[in-house]
Amino acid sequence: MDLYGNKPGKYFDKKINEKMLIGRDYYENREEDKARPYYVEVFRYLINFAKRKGIKTLDDLDKCGIMEEFAMNFIGDYEIIVYNSKEDLQMFLDMQREYMDTFEVTDLDYENALRLKVTLLFKLGRAEEGERNIVKELKKNPKWLWGYVELVDDFTSYHKDLEKAKYYYELGLKNAADDPDFDALKERADMLE
């Protein structure tokens, strides 16, 4: 095993692993603009590899040992880089859709991927579409705290609709009060003033 924990396997790709490591160095040194192209290339490679091989889960992807990092850890860092990006938003949205269409992910991974997709929609000025995506999930699970947090964040940060942000904040207070992370929503109160 190596520094990142995943064992290189049959499909270990030295070039992709090297790009992951270079991107990781930039990321860890808070140089996200320099890290972004490396993360994009590795992310694309992982999706295309999974499609070619018929791989549907991230666990199965990790078993291939393409790189030293576990796919979910890498994707978590990738998502942070994308959240902070101000350019190439449509490309990131397309890649996010492709990721969500390629893999059968856990509920938590799906929620994180959906939240990133919605943030990208809001950043692209497609607030109604982003809102519909989250509301659809909230109808299935009205206690999903992070859906309310997402809408409050997006309506205050990107769409500047304080009334809608307040609406979803109040709805979250009412429906998600039992969530152990409830303070994450309550912390958004300052954004609504």
Side-chain angles (χ1 to χ4, degrees), residues 27 36 39-41 43-44 73-83 91-93 95-96 99 116:
Y27 175 76
R36 193 170 294 116
Y39 273 82
V40 167
E41 186 173 347
F43 191 72
R44 271 199 178 118
N73 293 341
F74 172 81
I75 290 166
D77 293 345
Y78 166 84
E79 288 175 344
I80 292 169
I81 287 172
V82 172
Y83 268 114
M91 177 199 68
F92 287 127
L93 179 61
M95 289 175 67
Q96 193 65 9
Y99 164 67
L116 176 57

Side-chain angles (χ1 to χ4, degrees), residues 59-112:
D59 284 343
D60 287 342
L61 184 63
D62 281 333
K63 289 174 187 168
C64 295
I66 296 167
M67 59 184 187
E68 297 175 21
E69 178 62 282
F70 288 109
M72 186 42 47
N73 293 341
F74 172 81
I75 290 166
D77 293 345
Y78 166 84
E79 288 175 344
I80 292 169
I81 287 172
V82 172
Y83 268 114
N84 295 330
S85 180
K86 293 177 177 68
E87 52 197 45
D88 298 325
L89 300 178
Q90 185 60 52
M91 177 199 68
F92 287 127
L93 179 61
D94 294 342
M95 289 175 67
Q96 193 65 9
R97 284 185 178 133
E98 197 170 358
Y99 164 67
M100 293 174 77
D101 290 344
T102 301
F103 294 105
E104 299 165 1
V105 291
T106 66
D107 288 346
L108 178 60
D109 297 335
Y110 174 77
E111 289 172 0
N112 289 338

Side-chain angles (χ1 to χ4, degrees), residues 116-148:
L116 176 57
K117 175 183 169 184
V118 168
T119 295
L120 290 167
L121 287 167
F122 269 82
K123 283 182 166 187
L124 285 163
R126 294 160 57 185
E128 289 178 8
E129 185 180 348
E131 181 182 15
R132 275 194 311 272
N133 275 265
I134 290 287
V135 168
K136 181 179 169 186
E137 291 303 312
L138 286 170
K139 284 181 180 177
K140 294 179 199 171
N141 180 10
K143 294 181 180 226
W144 180 37
L145 173 82
W146 295 104
Y148 300 108

Side-chain angles (χ1 to χ4, degrees), residues 18-28 35 38-39:
E18 187 174 299
K19 289 183 185 281
M20 182 275 298
L21 293 172
I22 292 168
R24 174 60 54 86
D25 283 344
Y26 282 131
Y27 175 76
E28 289 177 350
Y38 292 98
Y39 273 82

